[in-house]
């Protein structure tokens, strides 16, 4: 988490946001190892929607930036 915060000095928050989803994976592992708790199907479905929407937004912003860059040059 600390490294993600420090990375904000080098890139925009919108580009780094999808990397925050890696925290979800570590939280699932910690929850299973220490608390013997594993997500049910509804949690997996919610995670799927959260992660796919983040990826979609990230890809959409990259396309928009490329169009702006190509229009300028």
């Amino acid at each position: 988490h600390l490294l993600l915060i420090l990375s904000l000095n080098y890139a925009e928050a919108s580009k780094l946001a999808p990397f925050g989803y890696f925290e979800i994976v570590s939280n699932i592992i910690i929850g299973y190892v220490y608390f013997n708790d594993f997500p049910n199907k509804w949690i997996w479905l919610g995670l799927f929607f959260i992660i796919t929407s983040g990826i979609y937004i990230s890809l959409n912003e990259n396309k928009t930036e490329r169009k702006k860059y190509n229009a300028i040059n």
Side-chain angles (χ1 to χ4, degrees):
H1 191 71
L2 176 65
L3 295 176
L4 188 62
I5 292 170
L6 293 175
S7 67
L8 292 171
N9 291 326
Y10 302 102
E12 296 177 20
S14 62
K15 292 189 185 262
L16 295 173
F19 292 107
Y21 298 126
F22 290 119
E23 291 180 23
I24 295 172
V25 174
S26 63
N27 289 335
I28 290 172
I29 293 169
I30 290 170
Y32 181 71
V33 170
Y34 291 107
F35 303 110
N36 200 24
D37 183 36
F38 196 72
N40 61 18
K41 64 180 178 180
W42 296 110
I43 293 175
W44 286 113
L45 182 65
L47 289 174
F48 172 76
F49 285 126
I50 291 169
I51 291 171
T52 53
S53 64
I55 292 170
Y56 173 77
I57 290 169
S58 177
L59 293 174
N60 194 22
E61 286 184 9
N62 286 336
K63 285 181 186 177
T64 305
E65 285 187 20
R66 276 191 242 140
K67 285 181 183 178
K68 288 180 185 177
Y69 178 76
N70 290 336
I72 292 172
N73 292 330

